[in-house]
């Protein structure tokens, strides 16, 4: 894979460069690789979804094929700086062994110190090591230099493939890079930068963004940034009601953020002045309670009766959104259209997911920006039907907000 050039706004640094793991000389080297094995767990601690482990396999294989020994490090959950059996990575090491099959994976029950050093030293070419949860040390999240140095002592070369953790300046994602003149991005990290970067860089137009999810407050920065780039923005999910209220609509008992109505009005007027078609739902599936088993009916989105709340986009909206999606060349989607976790309110989200799949078949670039929309794609069995599903919820949102991710910036030369 070629080097990725990242454009910076400063004229002093007009262009910087990130090297790919594929371009690094790894023969006989211990490759300290930050991965994102922060997998969802069941209540008994077993792995609920191994997507993130599977997503790191191409990079791990690439390192092994080039004669390097992958020394993998990750966080899991929020153990708040001390060891906690609930967040141990041992079960991840087992799953990794299953996925890698022919590669022996050694697990070190610490990420620094004697045990880590011994395990790393004993590993041979063709084998791999997984270190214990980085967040068992508070120094990880504090981006502590001494801790970063102790981690760095375990490898000759540094690779970061943890896009999902790249929006945090932690010891293993940021501080550590100063100890490695030889560093690069893993294949997953490069894929994320390529696809999400294609939205905010120079996308093929028309560029369409679909935004949903519970609240407008979490999406204001992404909306502001996308207003400068998109031709069309579709809004669904709980956040649509704040916009509908801003337009004078009757929202009944729907979720409305009253303190964001003025902001929604501002966004609507900015969209107009920037010639962005911002499309709100025409209808909604409303219910009398926040429950799957309650009375529901399709109502006009601007006239939701008192006592009723919108929990999904309606069929008319789904049809309009589908046509908009099929007319676009680049589509990015963040946030479900309704409460897709409840089967009676999942149709709108499913219909957007299916339209994304259709658009992909027509040759459009389709990107799902992690988090709940990625969970929805997985729930519908449609994850493989789009160009890219981001593995990072918060990181993909910050990327689309136009922010520099510390974990990406630290890889630059
Ligand atoms: P977010 O994390 O902001 O992307 O929000 C995702 C959550 O929004 C999901 O759990 C959905 O159930 C929820 N959601 C989507 N539409 C609605 C709605 N109309 N009313 C309440 N919650 C919603």
């Amino acid at each position: 894979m070629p080097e990725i050039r990242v454009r910076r706004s400063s004229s002093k640094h007009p262009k910087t460069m990130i090297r790919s793991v594929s371009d690094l000389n790894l023969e006989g080297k211990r490759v300290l690789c930050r991965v994102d094995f922060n997998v969802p767990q069941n209540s008994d601690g077993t792995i609920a979804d191994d997507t993130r482990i599977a997503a790191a396999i191409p990079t791990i294989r690439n390192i092994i094929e080039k004669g390097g020994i992958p020394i993998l490090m990750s966080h899991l959950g929020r153990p708040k700086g001390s060891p906690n059996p609930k967040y141990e990575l041992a079960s991840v090491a087992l799953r990794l062994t299953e996925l890698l099959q022919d590669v022996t994976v050694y697990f070190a029950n610490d990420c620094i110190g004697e045990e880590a050093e011994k395990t790393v030293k004993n590993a041979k070419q063709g084998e791999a090591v997984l270190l214990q949860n980085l967040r068992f040390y508070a120094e990880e999240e504090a981006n502590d230099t001494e801790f970063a140095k102790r981690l760095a002592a375990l490898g000759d070369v540094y690779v970061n493939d943890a896009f999902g953790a790249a929006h945090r300046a932690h010891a293993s994602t940021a501080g550590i890079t100063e100890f490695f003149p030889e560093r690069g991005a893993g294949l997953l990290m490069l894929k994320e930068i390529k696809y999400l970067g294609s939205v905010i860089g120079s996308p093929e137009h028309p560029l369409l963004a679909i935004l949903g999810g519970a609240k407008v407050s979490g999406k204001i920065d992404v909306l502001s940034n996308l207003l400068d780039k998109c031709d069309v923005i579709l809004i669904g999910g709980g956040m649509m009601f704040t916009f509908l209220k801003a337009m004078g609509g009757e929202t009944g008992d729907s979720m409305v953020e009253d303190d964001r109505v003025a902001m929604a009005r501002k966004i609507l007027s900015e969209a107009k002045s920037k010639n962005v078609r911002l499309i709100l739902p025409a209808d909604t599936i409303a219910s009398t309670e926040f429950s799957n088993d309650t009375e529901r009916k399709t109502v006009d989105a601007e006239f939701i009766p008192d006592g009723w709340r919108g929990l999904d986009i309606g069929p008319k909206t789904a049809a309009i959104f589908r046509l908009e999606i099929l007319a676009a060349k680049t589509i990015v989607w963040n946030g479900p259209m309704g409460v897709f976790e409840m089967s009676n309110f999942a149709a709108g989200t499913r219909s957007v997911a299916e339209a994304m799949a259709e658009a992909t078949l027509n040759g459009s670039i389709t990107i799902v920006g992690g988090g709940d929309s990625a969970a929805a794609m997985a729930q519908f069995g449609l994850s493989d039907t789009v160009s890219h599903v981001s593995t990072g919820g918060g990181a993909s949102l910050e990327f689309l907000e136009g922010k520099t991710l510390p974990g990406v910036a630290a890889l630059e030369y």
Side-chain angles (χ1 to χ4, degrees), residues 382-400:
L382 292 173
S383 303
D384 293 335
T385 63
V386 290
S387 311
H388 181 61
V389 179
S390 178
T391 51
S396 69
L397 208 55
E398 289 199 22
F399 199 106
L400 294 174

Side-chain angles (χ1 to χ4, degrees), residues 213-215 219 237-238 241 255 290 310-311 335-341 372:
K215 292 179 172 181
K219 305 270 159 76
F241 302 106
M255 159 184 281
F290 191 84
L311 293 180
M337 296 293 97
V339 187
F340 73 99
E341 299 93 337
D372 282 303

